Amino acid sequence: MNYRWELLPTPPQFSLELSREYGKYAAKLLALRGLHTWEQVQAFLDPDHYIPTPAGSLPDLERAVKRLLRALELGEKIWIWGDFDCDGVTSTTLLLSALRPLGFQVQFTLPLRSGEGHGLNRPRLEQVLAQGCQVLVTVDCGVGNAAEIAIAQAQGVDVIVTDHHTLPDPLPAAHAVVNPLRLPAEHPLRFLPGVGVAYKLAEALYAALGIPDVEQHLDLVAVGIVADVAVLQRECRYLVQRGLPILANTQRLGLRALLEQEMSRAKRELSAQDIGFRLAPKLNAIGRLEDASLAVELLTTTDGVRAQELVQLFMATNEERKHLTQQVVQEASQQVDSLDLTQERAIVLAGSGWSQGVVGIAAGRLAEQYGCPTVLIAKDEAVGRGYGSGRSIPGVSLVEAIEAVRPLLLGGGGHPMAAGIQVELSCLPTLQLALRRELAARVSPDQHTRALSLEIVIDLALLESQGRDPVAELDDLYQQLQLLQPFGHGNPLPTVALMNFRPSRSNPKASKNGQHLSFQLTGAQGSRTLWFWREGEQLATLAQLRALDLALHLEASDWDPHPWQGKVLAVRPSSDWHIPVSTSKSLQVEDRRQSSSPELLPVSAASRYDGRMIPPPSPELLLTRWPWLPADLAQLLQQVQPQKLILAATGHRWEQLPTQVTRLMQLWQSGQRDPQHLSEATGLPTEWLVDLSGSDLSREIVPLLMACIQESQAFHRWLDEASPTAIRQLCQRLLRPDPPLATIGSEQGSGSLSQQPFTGENGQKT
């Protein structure tokens, strides 16, 4: 994989108060994640400061609860229809564990991955109905099964759909459709996966019955959320934070046995990474190769001996899964070698003998290796069908591409980054061509090299010149990173750029089998190991370079005497790269803010910014309008790279806002949602309108817009009143690719930003 190294600068909203409280590295990461106020940061870091969202916020949830309570009262038979992946298994187990002790008559069924696939299918549905089902509750599936739901409803069986997959239009005619995608884009529950929706249903049932202790089921919620790669923000993050300690002390015998098997060497707290890389693969392996009902049995058994038997079966099945995955990867890679990916831009391959249960994992490996959206299809000649699974890259939606070729498919759906399909083998060649074209059309030319966003930059040469210990610096960084746990989708483990590492004859060195490399970072506090997996063949080349830049993750260590080890992601020659250190003479500021006609100023060499298009690079930059927000000023400065800044700006004409907002509401209510069109018609910034485009309710538009306006007004007041020196200090910070983290905590002056919008030179908040 070729990487494009992107060094992320410290945002202008960097808070010195947060830096003093949590550390300079944690403060930068919080700012990069858009967390600037104490309230935001505390709710993110500490679940005690987060206000949970009422379960009743989910559409149709109260209707679902009433129907289940009626089933309890009448003694009706309830069936839970789950899914065979980890999210579906934990969702099914959660409802079984929650409902049975309350007196519900409840059974469950899970389809087989091979031959049945995700969601409802008619043959199994008829079996369930024949066994006397009176209420059917789907978990992690069902929203795309309108035909099967209609069959059940026609036979007098009320169907309650709890799902989180893409909504069809129209929704199925079920008794209730509980799906967080029916909520506005910014709603705290929007990111819930299947197990999160199931938990909210159980939470509402417990509340209706006045029963405490629904939180005991959060161990399953944490497993399901992380395993389904749900976005670890808002309610999902809170539920995982609450669930991890419960999981570490789970009373479920099977889950405890699996934890003991996987975590026997670890001398640390359980993390989200442990779920994603240790627990989830074993729970998923059964559903990939066997009957996922065994996973539900593992999570519900009260027999310790049976729990141990199942854990051993899961471990063996996972080893088989690894072998089958490697087989598919190797065979698919041979086919990729005959493709010109610079022209194809996407991989859509099929093979006989491939296991349906592992093509998704193999597709993920190829997508990572080649940087292309990948769909792999297992051909089953016995039934004349192909079963495919795809994994994508950021910005390329598999669901959109699948919808474009829907007439060629027997079925398909999922998420933008992961989806599945079924196809008749007679249509397979046509589908491969069409799907590849659809995916390729969504890949931009620069996506062949994946962006490597580097959030923390540490220059070893700079540390050495300051007499500071690099090992102590990274130990401190690792401790600050733990504050931001749990890491996952939406809150990724930060990538660190370690610049100017000096290799030697023995550093790096190859592992015993020659497949891997290890770098030793040494200092006064000992040494730390940085592993570069599967890159042993690079030893001779890297050892000859004078200096290297290493991009890496700091990961918890199970067996090392030290708390962390490094996982190197990429290496490049450093070329004597250093973090730029600005001086007071690096940017000149000329103050012409009192000019009555700034557009007539005779400034021949300057690029002019009037609040619209960013001008080309120039030694001088003339501001005749203030940028809307600090981030806009940062983008302007970094693209123009001026040596001289001429202040001749005036604030935006806020008196026009009522007219602009009224016009926006008129267009919004008429169905117009395109941010560019709305911006041209109203004069409001496109960036604000992009943030509004996911909102479903008109009443949300004005509060969201006013929040942007108030922040912009505060920024403009500060720019109107600040001295040229203060503005120059701010702009010099914004011009740096990344400020020296060693000095960021000691910056002084009114140009330093706190968590409040801006502070004037007299110390008064504006």
Side-chain angles (χ1 to χ4, degrees):
M1 167 64 68
N2 294 322
Y3 287 103
R4 226 171 38 251
W5 290 49
E6 295 181 353
L7 310 179
L8 301 184
T10 298
Q13 298 93 337
F14 178 88
S15 169
L16 293 178
E17 289 190 48
L18 292 175
S19 177
R20 286 188 285 269
E21 178 70 19
Y22 299 113
K24 59 194 176 187
Y25 297 116
K28 178 182 179 181
L29 292 168
L30 291 168
L32 286 170
R33 282 149 176 73
L35 304 167
H36 309 302
T37 68
W38 279 103
E39 292 77 11
Q40 291 173 328
V41 168
Q42 287 182 316
F44 184 83
L45 299 181
D46 185 354
D48 288 340
H49 287 87
Y50 180 88
I51 301 175
T53 308
S57 302
L58 284 167
D60 280 1
L61 187 122
E62 292 183 1
R63 181 174 171 82
V65 169
K66 288 180 180 178
R67 183 63 186 90
L68 290 174
L69 290 177
R70 184 153 61 92
L72 175 63
E73 180 182 355
L74 298 175
E76 293 178 315
K77 294 182 179 179
I78 301 170
W79 282 76
I80 299 168
W81 189 303
D83 194 29
F84 43 71
D85 67 4
C86 199
D87 187 20
V89 165
T90 52
S91 302
T92 303
T93 304
L94 189 150
L95 285 188
L96 286 173
S97 302
L99 297 183
R100 280 176 173 168
L102 304 183
F104 286 89
Q105 294 188 42
V106 56
Q107 301 294 327
F108 78 97
T109 187
L110 297 180
L112 298 173
R113 180 185 291 267
S114 176
E116 290 184 296
H118 296 278
L120 307 181
N121 65 82
R122 186 160 182 171
R124 185 177 287 255
L125 176 62
E126 291 176 348
Q127 294 174 12
V128 169
L129 297 178
Q131 295 180 62
C133 171
Q134 294 167 287
V135 179
L136 180 64
V137 181
T138 73
V139 291
D140 192 33
C141 65
V143 76
N145 295 113
E148 290 80 7
I149 289 171
I151 292 172
Q153 291 281 160
Q155 296 189 32
V157 175
D158 285 331
V159 181
I160 297 171
V161 173
T162 71
D163 199 356
H164 69 118
H165 292 95
T166 305
L167 299 173
D169 186 15
L171 292 174
H175 183 81
V177 178
V178 186
N179 189 317
L181 294 185
R182 298 179 66 186
L183 296 167
E186 295 304 314
H187 197 281
L189 301 182
R190 173 82 175 193
F191 298 141
L192 289 180
V195 72
V197 181
Y199 176 76
K200 285 297 180 181
L201 177 59
E203 182 180 78
L205 278 169
Y206 274 55
L209 293 169
I211 298 174
D213 298 330
V214 70
E215 293 84 4
Q216 64 182 294
H217 303 296
L218 284 174
D219 53 354
L220 296 172
V221 178
V223 173
I225 286 177
V226 175
D228 210 52
V229 200
V231 179
L232 291 187
Q233 297 175 13
R234 309 175 196 167
E235 202 85 4
C236 281
R237 177 176 175 83
Y238 167 77
L239 293 173
V240 173
Q241 286 174 312
R242 288 295 193 204
L244 281 171
I246 297 173
L247 175 61
N249 298 284
T250 184
Q251 299 305 301
R252 303 176 199 274
L253 295 184
L255 195 51
R256 188 192 306 168
L258 187 57
L259 276 170
E260 290 172 353
Q261 176 76 35
E262 285 298 310
M263 300 294 294
S264 59
R265 295 179 302 180
K267 300 178 181 179
R268 54 180 174 78
E269 294 183 358
L270 192 67
S271 70
Q273 285 88 345
D274 293 320
I275 295 175
F277 295 103
R278 295 171 182 264
L279 301 184
K282 280 70 178 181
L283 291 172
N284 270 324
I286 285 293
R288 293 184 184 281
L289 303 180
E290 300 286 347
D291 186 344
S293 297
L294 291 170
V296 176
E297 182 185 357
L298 175 74
L299 298 175
T300 56
T301 185
T302 57
D303 184 338
V305 174
R306 179 57 176 163
Q308 291 293 339
E309 291 175 352
L310 287 170
V311 166
Q312 295 308 312
L313 172 63
F314 280 39
M315 300 298 291
T317 304
N318 190 53
E319 290 302 314
E320 182 184 1
R321 188 269 306 168
K322 291 180 182 179
H323 171 74
L324 293 173
T325 301
Q326 186 59 28
Q327 174 188 336
V328 175
V329 169
Q330 289 177 350
E331 293 182 11
S333 297
Q334 292 174 359
Q335 294 187 49
V336 173
D337 290 341
S338 64
L339 303 176
D340 182 0
L341 292 181
T342 59
Q343 298 295 324
E344 299 281 355
R345 297 191 182 181
I347 299 170
V348 182
L349 302 174
S352 298
W354 291 356
S355 170
Q356 298 175 26
V358 303
V359 288
I361 302 175
R365 300 265 182 90
L366 296 185
E368 174 70 24
Q369 180 178 350
Y370 296 104
C372 295
T374 301
V375 177
L376 299 182
I377 302 166
K379 295 192 291 186
D380 188 340
E381 281 86 356
V383 297
R385 291 188 177 185
Y387 300 88
S389 188
R391 299 294 184 268
S392 194
I393 60 177
V396 180
S397 172
L398 283 172
V399 173
E400 289 181 2
I402 287 172
E403 288 303 319
V405 299
R406 176 70 66 179
L408 299 173
L409 296 172
L410 293 171
H415 304 286
M417 295 293 289
I421 60 172
Q422 290 186 34
V423 59
E424 292 282 1
L425 291 185
S426 58
C427 293
L428 182 57
T430 304
L431 171 73
Q432 286 182 261
L433 178 61
L435 185 55
R436 186 166 59 243
R437 286 177 175 173
E438 289 294 335
L439 289 170
R442 291 166 170 78
V443 179
S444 63
D446 64 349
Q447 282 182 294
H448 287 299
T449 56
R450 177 167 297 184
L452 191 62
S453 297
L454 302 158
E455 298 178 284
I456 300 297
V457 181
I458 297 178
D459 186 353
L460 296 178
L462 179 63
L463 292 181
E464 182 181 359
S465 69
Q466 297 173 340
R468 298 167 61 202
D469 183 357
V471 172
E473 192 74 17
L474 266 74
D475 283 352
D476 184 34
L477 167 59
Y478 179 74
Q479 292 303 316
Q480 292 182 39
L481 292 184
Q482 301 319 296
L483 298 173
L484 277 72
Q485 290 273 13
F487 293 115
H489 183 39
N491 180 41
L493 183 65
T495 303
V496 179
L498 202 59
M499 303 299 196
N500 289 306
F501 179 90
R502 306 290 177 177
S504 64
R505 287 187 176 181
S506 59
N507 193 9
K509 65 179 181 180
S511 60
K512 291 182 179 179
N513 61 11
Q515 295 182 4
H516 315 295
L517 293 180
S518 64
F519 300 84
Q520 291 297 318
L521 181 69
T522 59
Q525 294 193 13
S527 65
R528 303 291 183 267
T529 304
L530 317 176
W531 286 99
F532 198 16
W533 302 107
R534 294 181 295 277
E535 297 293 342
E537 71 277 2
Q538 294 196 45
L539 176 61
T541 301
L542 297 179
Q544 293 176 1
L545 296 174
R546 192 164 61 89
L548 302 172
D549 297 338
L550 310 178
L552 67 151
H553 288 158
L554 302 188
E555 298 184 336
S557 175
D558 288 341
W559 56 85
D560 196 285
H562 307 295
W564 65 270
Q565 63 179 1
K567 177 184 177 182
V568 178
L569 307 174
V571 176
R572 70 176 187 182
S574 66
S575 302
D576 291 324
W577 185 94
H578 291 280
I579 297 176
V581 180
S582 65
T583 66
S584 59
K585 299 180 181 179
S586 61
L587 178 68
Q588 299 178 16
V589 173
E590 183 177 334
D591 190 2
R592 297 192 183 184
R593 283 176 288 182
Q594 303 306 315
S595 173
S596 58
S597 301
E599 67 277 0
L600 301 179
L601 289 171
V603 187
S604 58
S607 287
R608 187 184 301 266
Y609 176 73
D610 59 3
R612 292 174 292 190
M613 298 295 293
I614 294 180
S618 171
E620 295 183 356
L621 174 60
L622 169 64
L623 297 182
T624 61
R625 279 285 188 272
W626 295 131
W628 293 99
L629 295 170
D632 301 312
L633 177 58
Q635 182 182 14
L636 174 65
L637 292 170
Q638 291 174 12
Q639 291 196 32
V640 178
Q641 289 291 313
Q643 300 171 15
K644 182 178 182 180
L645 185 65
I646 304 165
L647 307 177
T650 57
H652 291 269
R653 299 179 62 184
W654 303 108
E655 66 273 11
Q656 295 180 352
L657 273 175
T659 302
Q660 292 172 304
V661 173
T662 299
R663 178 59 176 153
L664 173 65
M665 292 299 296
Q666 291 172 345
L667 293 170
W668 195 271
Q669 291 170 353
S670 70
Q672 178 57 250
R673 295 293 190 272
D674 180 63
Q676 186 64 41
H677 178 79
L678 292 173
S679 176
E680 293 172 355
T682 63
L684 295 169
T686 305
E687 293 80 4
W688 298 359
L689 302 175
V690 168
D691 292 338
L692 302 179
S693 61
S695 299
D696 294 333
L697 302 177
S698 297
R699 65 175 178 267
E700 297 180 347
I701 303 304
V702 173
L704 290 170
L705 187 61
M706 289 307 300
C708 298
I709 291 170
Q710 290 168 1
E711 185 178 358
S712 185
Q713 287 176 324
F715 183 41
H716 288 188
R717 284 197 298 270
W718 186 87
L719 290 169
D720 286 338
E721 299 170 4
S723 69
T725 300
I727 293 175
R728 177 173 56 79
Q729 290 174 340
L730 171 63
C731 292
Q732 284 185 171
R733 276 190 63 181
L734 301 182
L735 270 167
R736 306 179 200 177
D738 198 33
L741 288 171
T743 62
I744 205 166
S746 61
E747 294 186 23
Q748 302 294 330
S750 56
S752 299
L753 305 181
S754 72
Q755 80 276 10
Q756 299 295 332
F758 293 94
T759 305
E761 291 178 279
N762 58 3
Q764 296 180 347
K765 301 281 171 65
T766 61

